[in-house]
Amino acid sequence: MSDRRPILLTDDHLAMVAPADGPMHDPCWRILEDTDLDLLADRLMQDRPHPIPIFAYGSLIWNPGFPVRSRRRATAIGWHRSFSISLDHFRGTPERPGLMLALASGGNCEGLVLEIAAGTEAQSLRALLRRELVAHELAGNACWIEIETERGREQALTFYADPVGTQIAELTIEQQAQRLARAAGAAGSGAEYLLRTASGLEQFGIHDDYIWSLQKLVAEEIEAAALK
């Protein structure tokens, strides 16, 4: 936690980012079918707690995509947010590549535990795994991590903690801002993803210095580009 600096990135900034067409997914991927998703869900949930706890640190905070039984503040022990996954699809194109948020080793990350609503486990897990993992090539990016909540130490399922099977971009925060300020694709812009994440964190009283610094830099990059 730190000082509560305002979010400077706005919808007006998003409007200044030109949209772009591109693929939703890497065309080389082998997309997970329902049977694959169910088998993966069974493996991930073997001897695991119910209600099913999902650790949300990015888009799942503001767009979970499944019925949520309850939300609780939580801290992922030994992880921090990082825009490190390079995108030439979804929210990017080869000409205007984007970045996706992941968890990287080290530090702590405040987020939410979302408990899947009782009676919806099978369909919710299938929808969640389809959205987050998409393809066989990304199926290793679901794991259980240790979190701290008001109840003490717990385990929760999360995604892209030290991601595997995907292209990683090791960039400075300034370079990340430059890329996110330009990135756009079939699913929208990188700036939109960042703003929605910052706003979602703020809604639940969570402040991440990294996200706040990055959104300020992205706002400045968009403004500077508009003046050229």
Side-chain angles (χ1 to χ4, degrees):
M1 299 295 290
S2 185
D3 57 306
R4 300 285 180 162
R5 291 173 287 166
I7 297 174
L8 300 181
L9 186 62
T10 67
D11 286 334
D12 289 338
H13 290 102
L14 305 190
M16 289 189 274
V17 180
D21 292 325
M24 280 294 289
H25 308 304
D26 186 325
C28 296
W29 284 347
R30 296 172 296 125
I31 302 301
L32 291 164
E33 304 293 343
D34 286 351
T35 302
D36 303 315
L37 296 166
D38 292 342
L39 288 172
L40 181 57
D42 288 343
R43 178 174 63 81
L44 288 169
M45 290 312 303
Q46 187 173 2
D47 300 322
R48 292 295 182 173
H50 284 72
I52 301 169
I54 307 297
F55 180 72
Y57 60 91
S59 62
L60 288 175
I61 290 177
W62 48 272
N63 181 28
F66 61 86
V68 177
R69 175 180 181 267
S70 68
R71 292 170 171 83
R72 296 181 283 131
R73 290 272 292 273
T75 299
I77 308 299
W79 302 97
H80 66 276
R81 290 180 180 85
S82 175
F83 272 94
S84 60
I85 298 177
S86 187
L87 294 177
D88 58 5
H89 56 275
F90 198 62
R91 289 186 184 268
T93 66
E95 298 76 24
R96 295 165 59 188
L99 294 168
M100 190 176 90
L101 194 60
L103 289 177
S105 294
N108 292 307
C109 173
E110 284 194 274
L112 296 179
V113 170
L114 310 178
E115 292 184 346
I116 294 177
T120 73
E121 291 90 352
Q123 58 266 42
S124 291
L125 270 177
R126 181 186 286 180
L128 184 58
L129 296 176
R130 176 181 287 114
R131 162 184 161 168
E132 293 296 320
L133 301 181
V134 182
H136 287 274
E137 289 79 1
L138 302 178
N141 285 296
C143 64
W144 289 82
I145 62 171
E146 189 173 55
I147 59 171
E148 182 86 38
T149 76
E150 77 280 358
R151 301 177 185 176
R153 293 289 176 102
E154 304 179 42
Q155 297 279 315
L157 182 64
T158 198
F159 302 92
Y160 297 96
D162 280 345
V164 296
T166 188
Q167 184 177 354
I168 299 300
E170 295 182 358
L171 305 174
T172 66
I173 192 171
E174 291 79 12
Q175 291 169 328
Q176 293 171 31
Q178 291 165 8
R179 185 178 284 201
L180 287 169
R182 296 187 66 251
S189 69
E192 178 190 22
Y193 179 89
L194 175 60
L195 175 57
R196 302 298 173 239
T197 297
S199 298
L201 293 172
E202 185 178 59
Q203 177 184 352
F204 290 98
I206 300 169
H207 184 97
D208 184 317
D209 280 342
Y210 165 69
I211 293 294
W212 259 248
S213 296
L214 186 56
Q215 60 83 27
K216 177 178 180 292
L217 290 171
V218 169
E220 291 170 352
E221 287 286 338
I222 294 173
E223 292 168 6
L227 295 175
K228 293 181 179 178

